[in-house]
Amino acid sequence: MLDLYLYNTLSRKKEIFQPINKNQVGLYTCGPTVYNFAHIGNLRTYLFEDFLKRVLEYNKYKVKHIMNITDVGHLTGDMDMGEDKMEKGAQREGKSAWQIAELYTEAFKEDIRLLNILEPSGYHKVTDNIPEQIALISKLEKKGYTYKTSDGIYFDTAKIKNYNKLSHLPLETLKEGARVEKNPEKKNPTDFALWKFSPIGAKRQMEWSSPWGVGFPGWHIECSAISLKYLGKNLDIHCGGADHINIHHTNEIAQSEAATGKTFFNYWLHGAFLNIVGGKKMAKSEDGFLTLKKALIDKGLNPLAYRFADCQVHYRKPMEYSEDNLRQAEQGLDKLWEQVATLGSVKGKIDLDLQEKFVKAVNDDLNIPKALAVLASIFKAKISSADKLATVLDFDKIFGFDLKNSVNYIKGEVSSSALPVKIQELAAARLKARLNKDWKESDKLRDDIKAAGYSIEDTAAGQKIKKN
Ligand code: AMP
Ligand code: ZN
């Protein structure tokens, strides 16, 4: 196997990847804040992380992948000021903060499924790991890294060396960045909250007692506590979107290395943004907030078209959202499914020359766009259809386009995984009934599908289902 190179934000260089344990990789990816739906910008980051995980697995590493679910305490301002996003979401929707967390966690998992993203080895809710976070803060307190203000326990960033080792920002710039939200009680502008007190006289929906008083954890401590707990001996790769470099990941490193005295993750990888027109980052609070449903499903596009579009842009390059791009991506994917469907079902041998080109691309800091060109070249290669099929399916371990089911996609039998699960099940049952020539059952299922708001049409290519 060729060496795997990854661009490490710590060194700002591509480095040969070497895990702590020879065959096992610990991967930590910052998870969603579940006060609203994920937007397709967030999903771009989860897709990049999925490609990374699949490339690691293709390189024969066993990957232990941990993701947190931020279900408490993430404030609207990055500098520990502002409202709690969860409680704000609860107010907006007339639900409890716990219900909001549950609702959007499930919605997130559904997005992950629709995009064919591999599930982590474990999702870990922040609210399930409060004692671990308290223990870590106590450790920092004992070592003298903390101080108390009227609103919480803070980490003193002046006590450590290399606070800017990930951001590479001159300390002057960091001070400037903090000007927007000033907290006069902080000793240094870069200090951050480890524990926030519940406001006096007000009961929060989510709060816990602690050695310092009733309150809730600061945002950054969760990722340190959860990754140390589940990946303690395998702190290999930590990922997130590029917006996390200067504050969230910088603070995770500061507090974790202060507490343990050891390096906290050897490789830090960051995905570039999905921007809306004009180069503005897509954000939950801005106008251009597009969910998977709004950007694709409601427009009749298969969510996997977004996966395809993502493959066309390298993860470290900004990507601009446009509906046209998504439509073209869907055409590209449809063509690919068609090409694969013509290869038949007999699998031959993987073509080693093509595979070498493919591995060279993906192992060069995940050059997926180049790997996509290698995939396209398979269909022109002078090899048998059976060998083409074997090669295509091998590459699909990384692309995740569900190419093994290409025939069904072009027949319209999985016409779109965008359909609600219930409709997919009814459609599958109807297909079965028709194959058994059980017309009565088939008609009944058509009525059920109609009652659920969808129409079904039998064409030469199979069942076509549309939302009414
Ligand atoms: P959040 O749910 O806001 O904590 O964000 C979840 C993930 O999405 C984080 O890794 C962010 O860095 C990432 N992210 C946020 N906005 C964008 C964007 N416009 N493009 C790509 N990634 C983003
Ligand atoms: Zn995190």
Side-chain angles (χ1 to χ4, degrees):
M1 202 40 104
L2 289 163
D3 282 333
L4 169 60
Y5 283 84
L6 297 175
Y7 183 89
N8 191 347
T9 309
L10 274 174
S11 64
R12 300 287 198 274
K13 281 192 192 105
K14 280 187 204 173
E15 294 177 15
I16 294 185
F17 175 65
Q18 275 164 336
I20 296 164
N21 281 349
K22 216 167 135 239
N23 299 315
Q24 163 118 26
V25 176
L27 172 68
Y28 187 88
T29 59
C30 291
T33 312
V34 284
Y35 69 105
N36 206 335
F37 292 106
H39 58 62
I40 55 173
N42 303 131
L43 295 171
R44 181 180 186 208
T45 293
Y46 300 118
L47 278 165
F48 134 63
E49 292 161 349
D50 188 52
F51 293 127
L52 169 65
K53 179 168 160 186
R54 288 168 179 265
V55 167
L56 289 164
E57 287 179 346
Y58 196 91
N59 279 268
K60 306 264 185 290
Y61 291 116
K62 204 167 164 286
V63 180
K64 183 166 179 193
H65 174 201
I66 299 297
M67 183 187 275
N68 65 307
I69 300 281
T70 303
D71 58 353
V72 66
H74 187 157
L75 303 183
T76 47
D78 265 346
M79 304 306 288
D80 303 313
M81 310 280 273
E83 296 166 276
D84 180 306
K85 288 184 179 173
M86 295 302 303
E87 305 229 349
K88 200 176 162 198
Q91 265 170 23
R92 183 187 64 221
E93 298 186 25
K95 295 197 168 81
S96 76
W98 297 96
Q99 284 170 327
I100 288 286
E102 171 90 32
L103 177 75
Y104 291 113
T105 303
E106 285 316 305
F108 171 72
K109 289 183 182 168
E110 176 70 358
D111 286 348
I112 292 296
R113 190 187 66 77
L114 290 171
L115 286 170
N116 210 6
I117 291 175
L118 302 174
E119 288 222 317
S121 324
Y123 286 115
H124 298 283
K125 290 192 213 166
V126 176
T127 52
D128 285 342
N129 289 277
I130 300 292
E132 288 78 357
Q133 294 170 73
I134 292 177
L136 196 56
I137 302 168
S138 297
K139 202 165 175 183
L140 289 167
E141 186 181 37
K142 275 195 201 99
K143 290 192 165 191
Y145 288 104
T146 66
Y147 63 92
K148 190 174 169 180
T149 71
S150 60
D151 73 352
I153 303 295
Y154 280 77
F155 184 90
D156 187 347
T157 52
K159 292 252 162 83
I160 57 160
K161 280 190 231 136
N162 300 331
Y163 175 71
N164 56 354
K165 77 178 197 182
L166 185 72
S167 70
H168 294 210
L169 287 174
L171 286 169
E172 273 316 300
T173 317
L174 288 169
K175 280 180 199 161
E176 301 249 312
R179 225 173 16 194
V180 211
E181 291 179 274
K182 254 204 180 119
N183 177 346
E185 289 184 71
K186 288 206 301 195
K187 291 188 186 169
N188 311 287
T190 45
D191 293 354
F192 55 92
L194 296 164
W195 187 262
K196 293 274 287 189
F197 302 134
S198 292
I200 298 163
K203 180 149 175 54
R204 283 173 46 90
Q205 295 183 43
M206 291 177 157
E207 58 182 16
W208 294 264
S209 48
S210 79
W212 314 282
V214 175
F216 60 101
W219 169 34
H220 318 295
I221 199 77
E222 63 189 61
C223 288
S224 293
I226 294 173
S227 56
L228 289 169
K229 177 174 171 188
Y230 293 98
L231 295 175
K233 292 194 166 62
N234 293 89
L235 299 170
D236 290 308
I237 310 178
H238 194 126
C239 302
D243 53 334
H244 283 348
I245 300 171
N246 295 349
I247 297 174
H248 181 49
H249 289 167
T250 286
N251 292 346
E252 278 188 45
I253 293 174
Q255 66 200 3
S256 307
E257 297 193 348
T260 64
K262 292 187 192 135
T263 302
F264 181 63
F265 286 96
N266 292 330
Y267 301 85
W268 289 80
L269 270 63
H270 294 96
F273 295 144
L274 175 77
N275 294 324
I276 50 177
V277 185
K280 237 171 96 187
K281 168 185 174 242
M282 184 173 285
K284 283 189 185 165
S285 48
E286 308 276 333
D287 312 337
F289 178 135
L290 287 173
T291 57
L292 194 62
K293 182 170 179 303
K294 212 163 152 192
L296 288 113
I297 300 171
D298 288 353
K299 297 204 155 81
L301 295 168
N302 190 313
L304 290 180
Y306 187 51
R307 205 178 160 95
F308 191 90
D310 263 60
C311 285
Q312 295 174 311
V313 185
H314 188 262
Y315 79 92
R316 286 196 288 119
K317 293 220 171 89
M319 176 172 165
E320 189 163 301
Y321 162 78
S322 93
E323 190 178 327
D324 266 3
N325 276 351
L326 295 185
R327 291 205 180 278
Q328 277 169 26
E330 190 179 61
Q331 283 168 15
L333 187 57
D334 276 345
K335 184 178 160 208
L336 185 61
W337 279 327
E338 249 174 67
Q339 283 173 313
V340 178
T342 60
L343 297 178
S345 56
V346 180
K347 255 171 80 177
K349 287 196 303 289
I350 297 168
D351 185 275
L352 296 180
D353 288 340
L354 288 166
Q355 191 185 40
E356 194 184 329
K357 283 191 191 141
F358 177 74
V359 176
K360 242 188 194 153
V362 296
N363 277 14
D364 177 16
D365 190 33
L366 320 185
N367 196 338
I368 307 288
K370 201 164 174 190
L372 202 55
V374 183
L375 177 71
S377 76
I378 296 178
F379 303 98
K380 293 181 222 127
K382 296 204 167 15
I383 54 175
S384 70
S385 290
D387 289 357
K388 283 181 186 173
L389 184 65
T391 312
V392 157
L393 296 185
D394 180 60
F395 293 5
D396 200 39
K397 288 179 196 153
I398 290 177
F399 292 116
F401 297 145
D402 200 17
L403 296 180
K404 66 177 185 313
N405 288 318
S406 293
V407 176
N408 297 336
Y409 282 95
I410 62 159
K411 270 201 199 161
E413 283 164 18
V414 269
S415 59
S416 166
S417 51
L419 291 170
V421 177
K422 189 179 151 215
I423 304 295
Q424 286 183 45
E425 283 169 4
L426 288 170
R430 183 167 180 271
L431 185 68
K432 206 165 153 201
R434 290 178 69 77
L435 291 172
N436 291 334
K437 301 203 177 353
D438 185 348
W439 311 120
K440 213 171 135 203
E441 177 69 5
S442 149
D443 286 348
K444 186 194 156 290
L445 287 160
R446 175 206 294 269
D447 292 344
D448 290 350
I449 290 169
K450 201 169 159 200
Y454 287 78
S455 63
I456 192 159
E457 189 194 335
D458 296 305
T459 70
Q463 305 186 101
K464 286 252 181 263
I465 303 168
K466 279 202 207 98
K467 196 165 184 345
N468 289 334

